[in-house]
């Protein structure tokens, strides 16, 4: 079983930036695809970005051009660079394996507000 620890969230003004990290530990971490998800209050969790082991990325339309997902397989870590943040990006952000989901981590809170 793999454990995920997300970090890097915080309070930021609209237009600001944050870089989230997801560190994986436990069983061998070799997922072909990893993803970042978010859950806003009162809403279902949604997947916002994925990255393959080869570096191919995919994004939900609402974050295209603003968010960049990347991974460092040697460090068992996945990142999410978030630029031009908007209030609607406010949510708890999580990482997981879209193909074979592991237990969810605690997530990291991102709040975009002036």
């Amino acid at each position: 079983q793999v454990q995920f620890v997300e970090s890097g969230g915080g309070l930021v003004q609209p237009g600001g930036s944050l870089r989230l990290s997801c560190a994986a530990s436990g069983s061998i971490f070799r997922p072909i695809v990893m993803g970042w998800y978010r859950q806003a209050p009162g809403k279902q969790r949604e997947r916002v970005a994925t990255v393959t082991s080869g570096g191919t990325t995919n994004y939900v339309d609402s974050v295209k051009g603003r968010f960049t997902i990347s991974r460092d397989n040697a460090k068992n870590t996945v990142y999410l660079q978030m630029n031009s943040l908007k209030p609607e990006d406010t949510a708890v952000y999580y990482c997981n394996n879209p193909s074979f989901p592991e237990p969810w981590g605690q997530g990291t809170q991102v709040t975009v507000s002036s």
Side-chain angles (χ1 to χ4, degrees):
Q1 198 174 63
V2 178
Q3 294 82 42
F4 299 116
V5 178
E6 300 90 351
S7 62
L11 173 63
V12 63
Q13 292 186 342
S17 297
L18 286 172
R19 188 192 194 207
L20 307 184
S21 298
C22 165
S25 63
S27 302
I28 296 174
F29 181 69
R30 293 289 186 270
I32 295 175
V33 183
M34 276 296 296
W36 277 98
Y37 299 74
R38 67 185 179 188
Q39 186 167 21
K43 294 187 177 181
Q44 287 191 335
R45 186 174 289 154
E46 67 167 341
R47 190 169 67 202
V48 296
T50 58
V51 59
T52 68
S53 55
T56 299
T57 59
N58 196 19
Y59 302 92
V60 68
D61 286 346
S62 59
V63 308
K64 282 182 180 177
R66 300 188 298 120
F67 290 11
T68 302
I69 187 172
S70 60
R71 64 192 289 174
D72 185 333
N73 292 325
K75 295 182 178 180
N76 291 345
T77 301
V78 183
Y79 304 97
L80 187 67
Q81 177 67 44
M82 305 187 297
N83 299 327
S84 302
L85 283 162
K86 304 176 181 181
E88 50 265 42
D89 295 319
T90 295
V92 180
Y93 284 71
Y94 306 84
C95 63
N96 213 321
N97 179 344
S99 299
F100 300 99
E102 301 282 353
W104 294 95
Q106 295 289 329
T108 185
Q109 175 70 49
V110 172
T111 303
V112 185
S113 175
S114 54

